[in-house]
Amino acid sequence: MHESDLTPHLPRFLQELTEFLAIPSISADPAFKGDVRRAADWLVKHFKDLGASDITLHETPGHPIVTARVGNDPSKPTVLVYGHYDVQPPDPIELWQTPPFTATVRDGKLYARGACDDKGQVFIHLKALEMLRKGGDLPCNLKFLIEGEEECGSTHLEEFVLKNKELLKCDAVVVSDTSMIATDIPSLTVGLRGLCYIEVTLTGPNRDLHSGQYGGAVENPVRALARMITQLHDEQGRITIPGFYDTVRVYDAATRKAMNAIPYDEESYKKELDLKALKGEEGYTTIERVGIRPCLDVNGIWGGYTGEGAKTVLPSKAHAKISMRLVPDQDYKIATKQLMDHLQSLTPPTMRIEMRDLHGGPWGLTPMQGRAFHAAQQAFEHVWNKAPVPVFDGGSIPIVSVMGKALGVDVVLLGFGLHSDAIHSPNEHFTVSHIPKGIATVLEFYKQFAAA
Ligand code: BES
Ligand code: MN
Ligand code: MN
């Protein structure tokens, strides 16, 4: 199917997607538990309308998992499509030009939380399915696994996958939850980083103190925490945690050269972010820093008085949320422990430290050969008129490696977002033309995969 054949359907597609995007399925915030479920229910209804079979909403101790199936012809290969219907919180809400849950089209882009990550991309698969149902002929049997906890660590999905190998049995997994380099530079993500995420609370005095009565005599936990955080990197931008780099894979010069050959312009990268300069681990390019090197970030830091005006206070507590992106062959459980041990050792005797492991997940590498990858390459070339470039992306989708291992099949990352889509940020959007193009790519992938 050519993308132009989809044009007549586009207004309806946008209307349906707008409905899906209107549900604030924010998985991280318990206040939205009901909305997360409503998004799962929306999917169930949509699969019903599409005539899918075995549509099931699986309860978990967290948010539900939706599975469905279409076709059951033993002579055809089976593709499992994975995606997520949960979204990130929209804040800071005041920075949105239009409300995050009222999808709005401006300049060929659809603005809403989840437009790209990942409802828009899940929707592409629903509409590819719709087109297949209308065409009457399925090249592959299809299975769908759409979860509601990706944005908070896929907490219950690993167990679900391990317990439901038969239900999920397939010949390849397709995930549309990544981005491509540019509309005119299609790419296929072949590497994702792992993740670990902790919350730290540092306690000094047992109550907030008058900073005049006590300042200078009692150590301030905000200052102590800031000092500890500063010590996590050295002057070369390397992480100082003992043993942290022991298992980091070293790539040979040829691989690094190939990795750096992808189209990338540092000047426009900086310009898009309004940055005068970039900073990272010495000895590595930006592409390498994001793709094959680990990093440590402070996602948030708070403590003391942050309201209007001045309040003189020496706070009792300081907090930070710290995460690390991990690369082959690091183990996220070991890295989490190393980080916690190191923070413990940096804690001054004036402070008590408490740490909570929020979540973690493994890195993933997808094979650059084999039937699924070739079908994906051909599908991109067919629809976007250019062979896709393989890229190592810095983000994380922990379940990718779990599914690959548990189901014993190749995973392909058929992503249709753009880096500039502002996922997790205010004004997240998705390029409207990527909807018909994405549908055409998915359909071509099924065709090529079945023919291979
Ligand atoms: N879709 C993203 C991951 C992504 C985005 C990979 C762009 C590659 C390119 C996913 O929804 C996401 O945000 N994952 C989280 C990890 C999760 C455990 C919270 C992330 O990477 O922060
Ligand atoms: Mn996502
Ligand atoms: Mn995300």
Side-chain angles (χ1 to χ4, degrees), residues 435-451:
I435 297 173
K437 279 192 145 142
I439 296 168
T441 310
V442 169
L443 293 174
E444 188 64 22
F445 171 80
Y446 294 151
K447 201 168 119 188
Q448 295 291 347
F449 188 66

Side-chain angles (χ1 to χ4, degrees), residues 82-84 86 116-119 121 150-151 176-178 396-397 423-424:
Y82 160 84
H84 63 93
D86 62 324
C116 171
D117 185 13
D118 183 33
K119 284 175 175 167
Q121 301 201 61
E150 198 279 340
E151 298 293 7
S176 295
D177 192 24
T178 51
S396 309
I397 310 175
I423 63 171
H424 295 205

Side-chain angles (χ1 to χ4, degrees), residues 119-316:
K119 284 175 175 167
Q121 301 201 61
V122 166
F123 186 75
I124 283 174
H125 282 278
L126 296 177
K127 295 300 107 173
L129 172 59
E130 182 185 314
M131 293 301 125
L132 283 176
R133 307 285 301 173
K134 283 189 176 144
D137 188 35
L138 292 176
C140 306
N141 303 309
L142 300 176
K143 290 180 176 179
F144 295 87
L145 168 66
I146 319 288
E147 69 153 322
E149 296 191 307
E150 198 279 340
E151 298 293 7
C152 54
S154 298
T155 322
H156 302 99
L157 191 63
E158 177 167 358
E159 192 188 328
F160 181 84
V161 170
L162 297 176
K163 280 192 177 154
N164 291 280
K165 287 189 198 170
E166 198 47 44
L167 175 75
L168 304 174
K169 192 171 185 286
C170 60
D171 300 291
V173 177
V174 172
V175 178
S176 295
D177 192 24
T178 51
S179 28
M180 39 196 284
I181 298 177
T183 295
D184 54 352
I185 313 171
S187 57
L188 273 167
T189 299
V190 293
L192 291 166
R193 289 195 284 187
L195 183 73
C196 60
Y197 202 125
I198 68 163
E199 184 170 321
V200 182
T201 299
L202 209 57
T203 307
N206 59 7
R207 60 180 169 88
D208 284 5
L209 304 174
H210 187 288
S211 68
Q213 283 178 321
Y214 294 94
V218 171
E219 178 155 48
N220 181 317
V222 177
R223 279 188 59 209
L225 184 57
R227 198 171 64 236
M228 289 164 65
I229 286 170
T230 312
Q231 290 178 77
L232 296 174
H233 287 92
D234 67 14
E235 285 303 308
Q236 285 70 48
R238 280 174 65 92
I239 296 160
T240 55
I241 300 170
F244 183 73
Y245 288 96
D246 286 358
T247 52
V248 170
R249 194 179 294 187
V250 177
Y251 288 84
D252 61 40
T255 311
R256 287 176 67 180
K257 192 160 174 243
M259 204 175 281
N260 283 295
I262 68 167
Y264 161 76
D265 173 35
E266 191 129 315
E267 283 315 308
S268 37
Y269 184 92
K270 285 192 287 193
K271 194 155 179 279
E272 198 204 308
L273 302 174
D274 281 330
L275 286 170
K276 283 209 223 36
L278 297 177
K279 193 170 160 56
E281 187 184 358
E282 274 178 23
Y284 295 92
T285 63
T286 298
I287 287 168
E288 292 167 342
R289 285 169 182 171
V290 173
I292 56 162
R293 299 299 294 173
C295 68
L296 180 151
D297 277 288
V298 180
N299 299 263
I301 179 164
W302 70 103
Y305 183 68
T306 55
E308 273 300 311
K311 176 191 180 194
T312 48
V313 63
L314 195 165
S316 164

Side-chain angles (χ1 to χ4, degrees), residues 89-104:
D91 49 283
I93 204 139
E94 63 281 5
L95 295 183
W96 285 80
Q97 284 189 28
T98 46
F101 298 104
T102 307
T104 313

